[in-house]
Amino acid sequence: MFALAIAPLSARAQQTPIPDTTPAPVPQAPQYQPPTRIQSVQVIGNQRVEANTVASYLLFAPGDPYSEERIDLSLKTLYATGLFADVIIDPRDGNVLIQVIENPIINRVIFEGNKSLKTDKINDEISAEPRALFTRAQVQEDTQRIIELYRQSGRFGATVEPKVVEQPQNRIDLIFEISEGPVTGIKRINFIGNTEFTDRALRKEIATTESKWWNFFSSNDNYDPGRLEFDREQLRTFYTNRGFADFRVVSAVAELTPDQEDFYVTFTVDEGGEYRWGDISVETELEALNKDFLERLINIESGEVYNASQIENAIDSLNFAAGTSGYAFVDIQQDFRLNREDKTVDLVFNVVEGPRVYIERIDIVGNTTTLDYVIRREMELVEGDAFNRILLDRSRNRVRALRFFEEVEIEETQGSAPDKAVVEVRVSEQPTGELSFSAGFSSADAFLVDLSITQRNLRGRGQLLRFVIRASSNRREIDLRFTEPRFLGRNLAGSAELFDVVIDFLDEAGFRSTRTGGQVGLAFPLTQNTSLSTRYSLRSESIEFPQENQCDTLLQNSADNRLSPQDTQLLTLCQQVGGRLSSVVGYTFGWDRRNDPITPTGGFDLRFSQDVAGVGGDVRYLRTDVRGNYYKGIFPGVVASATLSGGYIRGWGGDPVQINDRYFKGNFDFRGFDNAGIGPRLINYVAETGSTLIPTAGGNVDGRGRAQGGNLFGLAAAEVSFPIGLPQLLGSVFVEAGTVGLLDEDFQSNIIIDAAASGLQVGASCNGVTAQGVICQRTIDTLDPRVTAGASVFWESPFGPIRFDFTQPLVKQPFDDRQSFQFTTRTRF
């Protein structure tokens, strides 16, 4: 600031009889003469900042020629430091005086009135903090950021007023007074211009949802401008994947209701017409790449409905083919032509050799918990590799698949040279630990309780640690599992598990089984879509039943042919009672080509596994299981699926298959039948009729005898799921078929257990016996198929998912244990 002195007027007019009308001369202020050279520099007003520090920001020093431009730039430089609230520079004839007022230090940051947002969450988003400098500009930015946080949570009426309370030693308390206001929800989501798809179908494709009373656990029913932009992209993807190549969202408008409490959201769309693929071709000048071969790699057929997602898959295939032919640097350009007259899309892929660019450096940003190498090992590129967009996209998906981060973004910038690139992987951490307690009820398992403690990113190293306690009416389980995803530093997942499992089949099959032991395993990918896992388990197993103390008597009675009807059905269990050691080696091959791992609408997955028991231990068997699923979207929201599964177990070395190792199917494995509801059964019947079932003491009250389990099973199901039309409700219709059987002959029975007065011998064969009153015992073991049909209703209720199944048997056996209705629910709190 420059001081300009003006001399005051002090002369008075002298009194005379006749005033002199001649105007008195006006005194002139002396003209300011700037100094020619700076003589000295003095700093005043500073408290924390040293005078030398202030002088270091100046563009002049004592002895320098005087320059107004340098003084002006010095003034701006001092302001730009953020250290001072005010700065005055006064030259004073070459003796420059610099007067500063320092910005105060923040003593405390206080929030008043915040109830819906925790203080820690707000603190994470603002820059103000204790011992930081206070600046008005920064406080205004923090105020706007807090308001934005409340808008993201649906409170558009929130106001924030910053205040300061002065403290000694140039310190202040910064107070943000917050008025949160009401939650602003989404009253209605409307669509204008859509004719091919209903409003209901489009609402399911976007993230924003309407505010309903049952959605109180969701935050997507609050208006968020950022989410609205995401919804526009979701709609575009939905339409372009279904043939509408020139679809566009004309506008997305949110309007407040008159009561200022909700929003009406309106999407105006231009669907255009449905297009089909026209001419698909590839052009290339690369010698090692044959045009016809490349065109065969493209899985797009002329005449099919246009699907934009197929373009990315085609480019991926072409990039892979170019890479296998030795072209690491290729540039695939798309020549995309819309023929609006005949509603076709012509597509030409031009494959040319691209510029050679190498990755100079990969920077990981935003990982506060996860260690760098956990992210880097998921990258399919390293420093020095050729830049490849496809591999970077795959790397991003691999990092996202860890489920350690809310967001994963990969950006590239120019490196130190034109042929070098710097790749930045920016992540945003999310909680990876979970403590959950679930409780539920089902018609099959009665009560269900599940307590689990899980950490999916232990110590930031990507390791999994899980402890689970589960209990239901027929199963109790304790499980401790640890997984190292990069065992020995390789792409090899190593796991170790300890377990104790009790299976109670007293009502169904008359036995209780206990398994205690451990398992170790290794898993690794074979290709992009296939994997192989191996395992070894060592467990102590035992079979028991309530009449176990009678086994010695039963076995002796069997030797003496003195079995009663009450004893005979327990005999086969007595022959298996006791403990044994199982040593099992196994593997599983997986093939997954689903388009979504959670809610697939296309593709298939397949799992094939085998386990061999007998590498040591007391049990010897070979178990083979296979399961495949296929998914196909029919209409928007309507998905058809088919499932095939089967298994076979057989003993070797002369050992039969024990009852606790056999297949028991029913309940949710085969809807329409109860637990162990189908398969071989041990029943009593009257010899002269050969078919009349009678109740058996200790058996099921309905006289269907005891389930024995089978060595083989096969199940098939076809299902179509669809929205019912009410919020959070889905329905499905299904048909299921299956069979269980092939019990070992050692455990099959066909003997007389009550000869009455016929004189026939107890224990003799029942074949051909028709004597009055003779009761026979027989193992019914056939592979006759069972078929059921039914419907299911799934409700995503506020208290947890609830599922209802209604079934009707189409093909059944008289001794099957049927279940026409079943439901299950579970909640977590």
Side-chain angles (χ1 to χ4, degrees), residues 495-714:
S495 62
E497 181 181 6
L498 297 175
F499 54 82
D500 182 74
V501 182
V502 178
I503 300 175
D504 190 342
F505 268 9
L506 291 176
D507 292 337
E508 295 85 355
F511 76 95
R512 180 187 294 113
S513 172
T514 302
R515 291 182 174 178
T516 303
Q519 178 174 292
V520 294
L522 294 173
F524 51 92
L526 297 177
T527 66
Q528 188 73 20
N529 304 109
T530 61
S531 62
L532 183 68
S533 62
T534 60
R535 56 190 170 272
Y536 171 74
S537 64
L538 183 66
R539 55 184 183 254
S540 174
E541 302 180 322
S542 64
I543 299 175
E544 58 179 289
F545 67 96
Q547 293 84 4
E548 186 174 341
N549 56 356
Q550 304 176 14
C551 278
D552 291 339
T553 303
L554 290 174
L555 293 173
Q556 182 61 43
N557 289 344
S558 175
D560 299 338
N561 288 332
R562 292 184 292 104
L563 293 175
S564 67
Q566 294 84 351
D567 296 337
T568 305
Q569 286 198 338
L570 304 178
L571 177 60
T572 57
L573 287 177
C574 283
Q575 294 170 344
Q576 302 172 73
V577 163
R580 53 186 58 85
L581 185 67
S582 293
S583 175
V584 185
V585 177
Y587 73 91
T588 299
F589 170 79
W591 187 13
D592 194 340
R593 293 298 303 270
R594 294 174 295 174
N595 61 354
D596 189 293
I598 300 175
T599 56
T601 58
F604 66 90
D605 65 288
L606 176 69
R607 292 176 62 85
F608 178 85
S609 63
Q610 285 189 308
D611 292 281
V612 179
V615 186
D618 307 318
V619 180
R620 290 185 289 270
Y621 64 75
L622 171 64
R623 181 195 299 270
T624 302
D625 292 281
V626 62
R627 180 182 178 90
N629 301 283
Y630 176 77
Y631 305 91
K632 177 68 175 178
I634 304 176
F635 304 108
V638 180
V639 179
S641 62
T643 300
L644 287 174
S645 61
Y648 178 62
I649 181 172
R650 60 172 299 175
W652 60 276
D655 283 7
V657 179
Q658 303 297 320
I659 191 169
N660 60 324
D661 292 322
R662 301 173 198 158
Y663 297 107
F664 289 88
K665 297 298 178 181
N667 195 16
F668 295 108
D669 288 332
F670 195 168
R671 286 171 289 186
F673 298 95
D674 207 345
N675 280 331
I678 66 172
R681 306 189 84 83
L682 193 64
I683 64 172
N684 296 339
Y685 66 96
V686 179
E688 62 267 21
T689 64
S691 61
T692 303
L693 302 178
I694 64 173
T696 303
N700 293 343
V701 295
D702 59 4
R704 291 190 171 89
R706 294 183 183 274
Q708 300 295 291
N711 293 0
L712 178 143
F713 84 93

